[in-house]
Amino acid sequence: MAHTPDGISCELRGEITKFLWPKEAELLLKTWLPQEGAEQSHILALLRWRAYLLHTCLPLRVDCTFSYLEVQAMALQETPPRVTFELESLPKLVLEFPGVAALEQLAQHVAAAIKKVFPRSTLGKLFRKPTPSSLLARLEKSHPLESTVPSSPCGGFLETYEALCDYNGFPFREEIQWDVDTIYHRQGCRHFCLGDFSHLGSRDLALSVAALSYNLWFRRLSCMDMKLSLEVSEQILHMTSQSSYLEELVLETCGLRGDFVRRLAQALAGHFNSGLRELSLSGNLLDDRGMATLSRHLEHCPGALRKLCLAQTGLTPRGMRALGRALATNATFDSTLTHLDLSGNPGALGASQDGGGLYTFLSRPNVLAYLNLAGTDTALGMLFMALSGGCCANLTHLEASRNIFSRTKSQAVPDALQRFLGGARMLRHLGLAGCKLPPEALRALLDGLALNTQIHDLHLDLSACELRSVGAQVIQDLVCDAGALSSLDLSDNGFGSDMVTLVLAIGRSRSLKHVALGRNFNVRCKETLDDVLHRIVQLMQDDDCPLQSLSVAESRLKQGASVLIRALGTNPKLSVLDISGNAIGDTGAKMLAKALRVNTRLRSVIWDRNNTSALGLLDVAEALEQNHSLKSMPLPLNDITQAHRSRPELTARAVHQIQACLWRNNRADSTSDRKPCLQPLGLISDHSEQEVNELCQSVQEHVELLGCGAGPQGEVAVHQAEDAIQNANFSLSILPILFEAGSSPSHHWQLQQKLEGLLGQVGEICRQDIQDFTQTTLDTTRSLCPQMLQRPGWRKQLEGVLVGSGGLPELLPEHLLQDALTRLRDMRLSITGTLAENIVAQALAGLHAARDRLVESLAQQAPVTVVPAVPPLCGDELTLLESGGVEEFFFPTEEEEEREKDDGSSWKWLEPSNCFLVPSLHGAAEEAERDPELAAPGEDAEPQAGPSARGSPSPAAPGPPAGPLPRMDLPPAGQPLRHPTRARPRPRRQHHHRPPPGGPQVSPALLQEGNGLTARVDEGVEEFFSKRLIQQDRL
């Protein structure tokens, strides 16, 4: 039989390996019991966390086994080599060894294992007398502290967990091992969340918590919305009494009672080295005894908390008084407590007039930055009086919703509110929802915000405050002066018809960026509701209004919401829109889809609870295929749920398509799937493209006004205008070609090759690539658009772009080639974009010049005369030839032009050039053609149907109103007054055109008198210029 140097045969080793499988013995030592002698030898098999004492005779039999965690102490003796174990479950176990070397191996193995579980343990605590000091010195020398540092991830958590599983006889859960290795360790996360292991049993969860008791890695333990068993609660209490590294304990809605809080306070009071700084017990029902115990601990705690959350814990006035007394007594809280949440405890601050010490704490200078007292029945007057002398300078978030303003009628309460706002310096959120503010309190609130110039970007929540008409009047008077406001929530205040003037007041504010107006559209009169919605549309389209976010949620507007949705098609400045809860149906969804196809500024749309079916969802999904700017659209879960019941396949398709489009829009590299259009390429802005299209349309309208028989000078102007339109359209069409012509990667392969060996040459290659690309782009531009290179200033702009390539080599890390390629791509886009801007500028200049020449030609045309057979008007009426009537007929007065501009702000397709086109009727076309002099001066022989019917080569798009045309002089007395379009060719009529929106609806018979050859020259003029989409008295 072959023996090894330690006296254990190979056959015995093999039998021990088979016996212990799947476990593996790390060390085998020959030993015996002193009372039995060396003749009855045993084998001590030392595993990773457990020791087995085995008989040497076959078959193998276990004499005893124990976990290293059961070892309370060890006593070593050199002569004879002996060890004495003090164990929890066994009496003293004494073993003798053949030599001191084996004794030292045993001591080192056990000490190393215990050190992994208890990192702060020392050899002096483990080895007791009569262990000789020389032996301890050799152990410390052979086993330094560096070798005992936990080598597994997260401070040896897995080793501790494995040792505890072995100690308790529970299986080792690989799910916990995977989470620790994959999530916590790789991401450097020090937050241990029990919710990640909620699928495990309570014993497994308790073991994972127990492993945190002596862990040096994790700093936070949290459990939310999960009821904790008794075993887990006990381990949490044990952990808080032992751990010195745990800083945050969050146990929200865990089904804890007052007994747990009492024991938690006792555990913290007995642990003087506790590092706990943040405690949250929200959502647990705590009794007064538990709060009293916790308050006593907080009162004498040397290390005060930074954050304390006791929301919705059933606090009574007695418990609140105890807590307030603790905060006021312990002066350490004045310099440490920054977050206090006591919300959701009705009546906790209602009975006591002094808040039981809480107001005393708040009235002292402190560092409190977050305070939430919502739903505690506190009197806001007393609260603001306390805050005005305390933490108002550091407070950034104050939530006081669902409270009463004051229990007494006193002028001191609004004054306290104004003093608080005057002393605030860092306030960013003020919540007063559901507080039923009186008018004087609202006035004091807005006055205080107007006087404070140090606050900015403040969110003010005044929803459900029952402000009604009186509050609306106060807001109208003062909201413009409150420059600190950037977000205002006025939902559910019963404004009703007062919304008309309220929206106007909001539009005059130059600081409001986010406004919520939902649940205020309870207007019985449909005309008033339409007026309110049109006011909101004007607010959205006002270039001077900084509004970026609008919410009309839960307003049940139904078809009225279509007014707001249609306005999105004109590309307003809004970036966030919430129209949820308005029952717009599939019709509204289709209109929203059309708006999303052309809108490029919206970033987020919320539209749930609108009774939308699968077809409506699919319309929006298909529209998002063409929208590359929308980043967020929360899934309308309520509508999706209803639609999935009737048409599940179509609903799933729409949802997947919406998610795919949003994912595409949110990708970091948005240029990977470029399309041959101007906006995705980023060559020019959508505003520039829109300006070109609008100017093309305006020039085309002037060409139609001038006509073909305008004389030699007019014909030259018409030809020049047509050339300018053609050049503008050609300029827009060549921009994608220009980009493709210069986008070929000329030196990418050289760049990659040089980066592999010669990083120093990267800069030269990049500069050469930029020069080649610039030359290629210039050559392409010269061949396609030589007029651009004749404009001054383009070379200076291009040189300014090329200056940025000087610092390119320093931006290229040695191992990131992609950074170089991205930088080159950006430089290419900058160069191409500069050239594209100059091309568009050249096109715009040509269009402006063509329109100016057309205006001059219109002014120089021969005027028409007035037929003397026109019957005289009544004595009190003015004719067209009296008091400048002809001038007012052809050229509107300044007051009328202002009204046209107001109308144009909400209906963009009604342009000022239409003032010259009074639609005539099809029935009188033949007679007007036979004798042009009989046509009314304001009538056109060809009916017009708005810009879309003029056949403009560029797409009809809304644009800024053109400037007023110069007035034409009247002919000398005695000469006929001729219509400027008398020589215009008459097209063959094949179908009737629809009259323009807002035009006069007059039957053809009313335009003829007597024999049908005489018509009033002013027929329909007054109605045409006085017709308004929104009544003037409402403006």
Side-chain angles (χ1 to χ4, degrees):
M1 180 179 294
H3 286 77
T4 57
D6 54 8
I8 303 175
S9 63
C10 296
E11 292 80 5
L12 184 58
R13 284 180 176 274
E15 292 295 332
I16 293 175
T17 302
K18 295 179 182 179
F19 180 78
L20 296 176
W21 191 89
K23 299 178 181 179
E24 183 179 354
E26 297 183 358
L27 183 61
L28 296 178
L29 298 176
K30 187 175 182 181
T31 184
W32 58 86
L33 299 175
Q35 62 272 19
E36 296 181 358
E39 293 79 6
Q40 300 292 331
S41 62
H42 292 70
I43 299 298
L44 184 62
L46 299 178
L47 281 66
R48 190 175 185 184
W49 306 109
R50 179 169 290 273
Y52 287 90
L53 186 61
L54 305 174
H55 288 277
T56 55
C57 58
L58 298 178
L60 294 178
R61 181 168 54 89
V62 178
D63 193 358
C64 68
T65 179
F66 59 90
S67 172
Y68 302 148
L69 301 184
E70 298 181 46
V71 178
Q72 298 180 349
M74 294 174 59
L76 304 180
Q77 186 177 346
E78 291 183 323
T79 54
R82 177 182 295 182
V83 62
T84 303
F85 291 99
E86 294 183 9
L87 305 175
E88 292 180 357
S89 58
L90 297 174
K92 289 185 178 181
L93 177 62
V94 181
L95 298 176
E96 291 186 2
F97 297 90
V100 179
L103 184 64
E104 292 181 358
Q105 289 180 352
L106 169 64
Q108 291 177 3
H109 183 83
V110 176
I114 295 178
K115 187 71 175 179
K116 292 177 181 179
V117 180
F118 307 105
R120 299 169 61 187
S121 62
T122 61
L123 295 180
K125 295 181 180 180
L126 178 62
F127 298 103
R128 299 180 180 177
K129 294 182 180 181
T131 303
S133 58
S134 59
L135 183 57
L136 284 177
R138 291 198 304 270
L139 290 176
E140 291 179 356
K141 184 177 181 181
S142 62
H143 194 73
L145 294 178
E146 287 78 4
S147 62
T148 62
V149 176
S151 58
S152 67
C154 301
F157 174 83
L158 289 178
E159 294 177 338
T160 305
Y161 174 69
E162 186 179 1
L164 291 175
C165 290
D166 182 87
Y167 173 73
N168 291 278
F170 293 156
F172 180 81
R173 298 296 183 183
E174 295 182 355
E175 297 95 325
I176 297 180
Q177 179 183 9
W178 188 90
D179 286 353
V180 172
D181 290 341
T182 308
I183 300 177
Y184 296 108
H185 176 61
R186 293 185 181 179
Q187 298 181 1
C189 180
R190 296 176 180 265
H191 171 202
F192 193 88
C193 180
L194 293 181
D196 296 340
F197 311 102
S198 58
H199 59 285
L200 301 178
S202 59
R203 292 188 176 182
D204 297 320
L205 202 59
L207 284 179
S208 63
V209 175
L212 299 174
S213 299
Y214 304 95
N215 187 269
L216 309 182
W217 172 268
F218 291 100
R219 298 291 187 268
R220 179 181 182 184
L221 175 65
S222 68
C223 180
M224 301 181 185
D225 300 319
M226 185 178 71
K227 187 174 182 180
L228 297 179
S229 63
L230 182 60
E231 296 174 336
V232 179
S233 302
E234 291 292 336
Q235 291 302 325
I236 291 177
L237 294 173
H238 176 72
M239 178 197 62
T240 54
S241 64
Q242 297 295 329
S243 177
S244 299
Y245 291 85
L246 186 68
E247 298 179 357
E248 303 179 35
L249 180 61
V250 180
L251 303 174
E252 298 181 358
T253 320
C254 296
L256 304 178
R257 298 290 179 176
D259 181 66
F260 176 85
V261 180
R262 291 196 299 271
R263 297 183 60 187
L264 176 64
Q266 294 172 0
L268 293 175
H271 188 25
F272 299 102
N273 296 325
S274 175
L276 192 64
R277 293 297 176 264
E278 299 184 10
L279 177 63
S280 177
L281 300 175
S282 302
N284 301 292
L285 295 179
L286 312 180
D287 54 20
D288 292 338
R289 293 179 56 191
M291 282 304 306
T293 307
L294 180 61
S295 300
R296 284 194 298 269
H297 165 69
L298 296 177
E299 185 175 352
H300 302 93
C301 177
L305 299 175
R306 295 192 304 261
K307 178 179 179 180
L308 179 61
C309 296
L310 297 174
Q312 300 179 2
T313 54
L315 278 179
T316 62
R318 179 181 175 185
M320 186 64 75
R321 284 194 297 269
L323 177 62
R325 191 181 306 111
L327 297 178
T329 304
N330 193 341
T332 314
F333 283 105
D334 295 340
S335 58
T336 58
L337 188 63
T338 60
H339 187 112
L340 180 61
D341 188 358
L342 302 175
S343 60
N345 294 299
L349 291 173
S352 176
Q353 294 297 321
D354 59 353
L358 180 62
Y359 293 144
T360 304
F361 167 73
L362 296 177
S363 62
R364 294 201 311 246
N366 52 65
V367 295
L368 198 63
Y370 181 97
L371 178 61
N372 191 345
L373 297 177
T376 57
D377 291 340
T378 183
L380 297 184
M382 297 185 63
L383 175 63
F384 288 123
M385 281 191 288
L387 292 176
S388 60
C391 59
C392 61
N394 299 317
L395 200 63
T396 60
H397 186 106
L398 176 59
E399 185 61 54
S401 303
R402 304 187 306 279
N403 290 309
I404 61 175
F405 184 74
S406 177
R407 295 185 176 88
T408 59
K409 294 184 178 180
S410 174
Q411 183 60 32
V413 177
D415 294 342
L417 174 58
Q418 199 164 356
R419 284 197 306 272
F420 163 74
L421 294 174
R425 297 293 181 268
M426 304 173 63
L427 193 63
R428 296 294 177 268
H429 176 92
L430 179 58
L432 299 175
C435 291
K436 298 182 181 180
L437 294 180
E440 58 273 12
L442 182 61
R443 185 174 297 275
L445 173 63
L446 296 178
D447 282 337
L449 292 177
L451 296 175
N452 193 326
T453 59
Q454 300 184 10
I455 303 179
H456 57 88
D457 294 335
L458 174 66
H459 170 71
L460 179 60
D461 188 358
L462 296 178
S463 59
C465 286
E466 300 184 9
L467 301 178
R468 304 189 189 280
S469 180
V470 179
Q473 184 62 43
V474 175
I475 295 176
Q476 296 170 28
D477 297 339
L478 301 176
V479 72
C480 300
D481 301 328
L485 283 178
S486 67
S487 178
L488 182 60
D489 190 349
L490 297 175
S491 304
D492 195 13
N493 274 293
F495 291 134
S497 58
D498 294 301
M499 286 282 290
V500 176
T501 54
L502 181 61
V503 172
L504 287 178
I506 293 175
R508 291 193 296 268
S509 174
R510 291 299 170 259
S511 61
L512 280 177
K513 300 179 181 178
H514 313 281
V515 177
L517 299 174
R519 298 186 179 181
N520 284 307
F521 298 87
N522 50 342
V523 182
R524 295 182 179 179
C525 180
K526 186 179 182 301
E527 290 75 10
T528 304
L529 179 60
D530 293 340
D531 196 3
V532 172
L533 295 177
H534 282 92
R535 302 285 183 178
I536 297 178
V537 170
Q538 292 179 357
L539 187 68
M540 295 163 53
Q541 296 177 342
D542 187 2
D543 294 335
D544 297 330
C545 183
L547 189 65
Q548 299 177 1
S549 174
L550 176 65
S551 173
V552 291
E554 309 300 334
S555 299
R556 306 296 295 177
L557 293 176
K558 297 183 180 180
Q559 297 302 322
S562 60
V563 178
L564 304 179
I565 298 176
R566 277 199 302 266
L568 298 178
T570 60
N571 242 13
K573 298 173 62 176
L574 279 184
S575 60
V576 179
L577 178 64
D578 185 357
I579 55 173
S580 57
N582 280 288
I584 62 176
D586 289 344
T587 303
K590 186 177 289 295
M591 298 182 65
L592 177 63
K594 294 180 180 179
L596 290 177
R597 291 179 186 272
V598 297
N599 189 287
T600 59
R601 297 193 179 183
L602 270 179
R603 296 297 179 265
S604 177
V605 175
I606 306 173
W607 62 302
D608 199 3
R609 299 182 299 281
N610 277 301
N611 299 334
T612 307
S613 67
L615 295 177
L617 295 173
L618 190 60
D619 288 338
V620 174
E622 293 176 350
L624 287 179
E625 292 288 349
Q626 302 178 11
N627 187 302
H628 293 261
S629 60
L630 193 69
K631 304 295 183 182
S632 172
M633 179 184 284
L635 290 178
L637 297 180
N638 290 276
D639 293 340
I640 289 175
T641 303
Q642 297 295 331
H644 191 269
R645 296 177 181 175
S646 57
R647 306 189 68 175
E649 296 83 3
L650 195 61
T651 304
R653 172 187 166 190
V655 170
H656 293 162
Q657 192 170 356
I658 291 175
Q659 291 178 326
C661 294
L662 294 177
W663 176 83
R664 176 203 62 196
N665 295 349
N666 284 279
R667 279 186 303 177
D669 187 9
S670 60
T671 61
S672 59
D673 56 346
R674 299 190 191 96
K675 296 182 180 180
C677 60
L678 303 183
Q679 182 185 349
L681 290 177
L683 299 182
I684 63 173
S685 62
D686 51 351
H687 176 72
S688 300
E689 182 184 1
Q690 182 179 359
E691 186 178 0
V692 171
N693 292 332
E694 292 171 353
L695 200 53
C696 286
Q697 178 184 351
S698 178
V699 172
Q700 181 67 25
E701 291 173 356
H702 285 78
V703 169
E704 294 176 357
L705 286 176
L706 190 59
C708 298
Q713 186 177 0
E715 292 180 358
V716 172
V718 169
H719 288 306
Q720 292 179 350
E722 293 176 350
D723 293 339
I725 293 176
Q726 183 178 2
N727 292 336
N729 292 331
F730 179 71
S731 299
L732 295 182
S733 64
I734 68 172
L735 292 180
I737 303 176
L738 179 64
F739 178 82
E740 295 295 337
S743 62
S744 58
S746 57
H747 288 279
H748 284 185
W749 65 273
Q750 293 185 14
L751 180 61
Q752 185 173 4
Q753 182 181 7
K754 294 297 181 181
L755 277 177
E756 293 175 355
L758 302 173
L759 185 61
Q761 299 180 6
V762 171
E764 186 63 26
I765 296 175
C766 293
R767 283 188 287 269
Q768 185 64 32
D769 184 89
I770 292 297
Q771 293 176 3
D772 294 347
F773 175 76
T774 304
Q775 188 62 40
T776 303
T777 309
L778 287 175
D779 294 340
T780 307
T781 305
R782 187 178 291 107
S783 62
L784 295 177
C785 188
Q787 298 87 353
M788 192 281 300
L789 299 180
Q790 300 175 2
R791 294 184 70 252
W794 68 269
R795 186 178 298 276
K796 185 176 180 180
Q797 282 184 299
L798 192 58
E799 290 175 355
V801 174
L802 293 176
V803 170
S805 63
L808 185 61
E810 290 77 7
L811 300 177
L812 297 175
E814 188 174 358
H815 58 285
L816 292 179
L817 175 64
Q818 188 62 33
D819 290 349
L821 302 181
T822 303
R823 178 66 175 172
L824 289 175
R825 183 196 62 201
D826 295 340
M827 293 296 299
R828 292 167 182 265
L829 288 177
S830 299
I831 294 172
T832 312
T834 302
L835 297 176
E837 290 178 359
N838 284 273
I839 292 175
V840 174
Q842 178 70 20
L844 289 174
L847 290 172
H848 280 292
R851 188 174 64 176
D852 293 341
R853 285 190 293 268
L854 289 174
V855 171
E856 294 177 359
S857 300
L858 283 173
Q860 296 174 3
Q861 271 191 345
V864 298
T865 186
V866 178
V867 180
V870 176
L873 302 177
C874 298
D876 297 334
E877 296 180 11
L878 293 177
T879 65
L880 291 175
L881 299 180
E882 295 178 358
S883 302
V886 175
E887 288 188 10
E888 292 180 0
F889 177 74
F890 280 96
F891 304 97
T893 62
E894 294 181 359
E895 181 180 358
E896 291 175 339
E897 289 178 355
E898 291 295 327
R899 290 200 298 266
E900 290 294 331
K901 292 180 181 178
D902 291 342
D903 287 347
S905 63
S906 60
W907 297 88
K908 297 294 185 180
W909 52 79
L910 295 180
E911 298 191 4
S913 59
N914 292 344
C915 298
F916 294 90
L917 300 176
V918 180
S920 64
L921 297 172
H922 187 65
E926 296 179 357
E927 296 174 357
E929 185 177 1
R930 286 195 298 267
D931 193 354
E933 295 183 0
L934 296 179
E939 293 182 45
D940 192 356
E942 179 182 355
Q944 302 293 328
S948 61
R950 296 188 179 102
S952 176
S954 61
L965 299 179
R967 300 174 183 267
M968 293 187 297
D969 296 332
L970 291 175
Q975 295 185 7
L977 181 65
R978 300 183 182 277
H979 197 275
T981 61
R982 68 189 187 281
R984 183 175 180 179
R986 312 301 177 184
R988 185 181 300 275
R989 303 292 182 179
Q990 295 182 358
H991 60 278
H992 293 275
H993 293 279
R994 297 177 60 186
Q1001 305 296 331
V1002 186
S1003 61
L1006 296 179
L1007 295 178
Q1008 301 178 358
E1009 295 180 2
N1011 58 0
L1013 299 178
T1014 305
R1016 290 182 54 188
V1017 296
D1018 61 340
E1019 184 68 28
V1021 174
E1022 181 179 0
E1023 181 182 0
F1024 179 80
F1025 287 106
S1026 62
K1027 186 68 175 180
R1028 288 294 177 269
L1029 298 176
I1030 300 177
Q1031 298 299 326
Q1032 185 69 21
D1033 56 352
R1034 298 181 185 175
L1035 296 175

